[in-house]
Amino acid sequence: NLPSLSGLDEGTTAPNFTGTSICDGKPIDLHELAKNHRGIIITFFRGSWWVECHSFFTRLQPDLEYFQNKDVLIIGVSGDRADKLKERMCNYKLTMLSDLPKHNIAITYNAFTYYEQPVDNWTRKVKINQPITYLINPEGKIVWKFVGTREIRPPNNTLKDAVEKYL
């Protein structure tokens, strides 16, 4: 079992982060991107190996045009290695970012935890992202969030409703 995380509060300024998209090599600066888009969806996910992450990104595919037409950029942030993300996640046509080696983005967004995994006669602590999704407005404020669970991610209609309501 993972400790429950609540993420950052709605109404707070989203902490800036920078990086490079592992799929297209473009630079990522959250505050600059927010200024140039109607909104940004940041979704923290566990990794390229997690079935529910693939299910979520697969479910998003039919609605990517809706988000593009609304000028909403989707950024996936994972604690997985960049090479694994590139190999397994770039086919979803989203901006993907590896948060290794120190998970600084997930820690800053209160979307990072550990769980204990029994292995033979010992237990190891596994670092993992909590599936939390944020909607950021052009002013860089968190206007909506969805705190997921091991199995649950926000449905597409819930994301679209948030875009309509808050942007």
Side-chain angles (χ1 to χ4, degrees), residues 57-70:
F57 291 123
T58 298
R59 272 196 345 258
L60 275 177
Q61 297 306 294
D63 288 316
L64 285 183
E65 187 174 333
Y66 165 85
F67 293 109
Q68 290 166 350
N69 290 340
K70 294 290 183 179

Side-chain angles (χ1 to χ4, degrees), residues 96-132:
M96 296 284 179
L97 184 65
S98 174
D99 195 16
L100 291 180
K102 297 189 178 189
H103 307 276
N104 290 333
I105 301 168
I107 290 168
T108 301
Y109 276 78
N110 196 22
F112 179 76
T113 190
Y114 296 89
Y115 74 94
E116 293 184 354
Q117 182 182 49
V119 179
D120 296 325
N121 294 328
W122 59 284
T123 301
R124 72 176 180 167
K125 275 191 164 185
V126 178
K127 301 171 186 174
I128 196 163
N129 283 1
Q130 174 82 8
I132 298 177

Side-chain angles (χ1 to χ4, degrees):
N1 285 339
L2 297 176
S4 178
L5 299 174
S6 60
L8 299 178
D9 291 334
E10 294 170 356
T12 60
T13 298
N16 195 33
F17 60 81
T18 61
T20 303
S21 169
I22 58 112
C23 297
D24 60 16
K26 291 182 181 175
I28 297 170
D29 180 309
L30 177 65
H31 286 173
E32 286 303 311
L33 290 171
K35 289 178 198 173
N36 296 309
H37 289 81
R38 184 172 175 215
I40 307 284
I41 293 173
I42 303 171
T43 186
F44 289 90
F45 68 101
R46 298 199 168 155
S48 60
W49 42 268
W50 199 264
V51 173
E52 286 81 3
C53 297
H54 282 280
S55 296
F56 172 64
F57 291 123
T58 298
R59 272 196 345 258
L60 275 177
Q61 297 306 294
D63 288 316
L64 285 183
E65 187 174 333
Y66 165 85
F67 293 109
Q68 290 166 350
N69 290 340
K70 294 290 183 179
D71 193 26
V72 174
L73 178 66
I74 301 172
I75 301 174
V77 179
S78 174
D80 206 352
R81 294 185 354 221
D83 62 326
K84 294 297 182 187
L85 290 172
K86 189 167 192 153
E87 175 186 322
R88 300 176 186 156
M89 303 302 281
C90 288
N91 61 313
Y92 293 116
K93 298 181 176 78
L94 300 168
T95 300
M96 296 284 179
L97 184 65
S98 174
D99 195 16
L100 291 180
K102 297 189 178 189
H103 307 276
N104 290 333
I105 301 168
I107 290 168
T108 301
Y109 276 78
N110 196 22
F112 179 76
T113 190
Y114 296 89
Y115 74 94
E116 293 184 354
Q117 182 182 49
V119 179
D120 296 325
N121 294 328
W122 59 284
T123 301
R124 72 176 180 167
K125 275 191 164 185
V126 178
K127 301 171 186 174
I128 196 163
N129 283 1
Q130 174 82 8
I132 298 177
T133 301
Y134 295 97
L135 179 61
I136 313 297
N137 72 10
E139 291 76 39
K141 297 280 185 193
I142 297 170
V143 294
W144 175 88
K145 72 175 176 182
F146 184 96
V147 180
T149 66
R150 179 183 171 123
E151 296 86 13
I152 298 172
R153 307 297 184 277
N156 290 14
N157 285 340
T158 301
L159 284 170
K160 291 178 357 184
D161 289 347
V163 166
E164 294 297 329
K165 182 174 181 179
Y166 296 107
L167 297 180

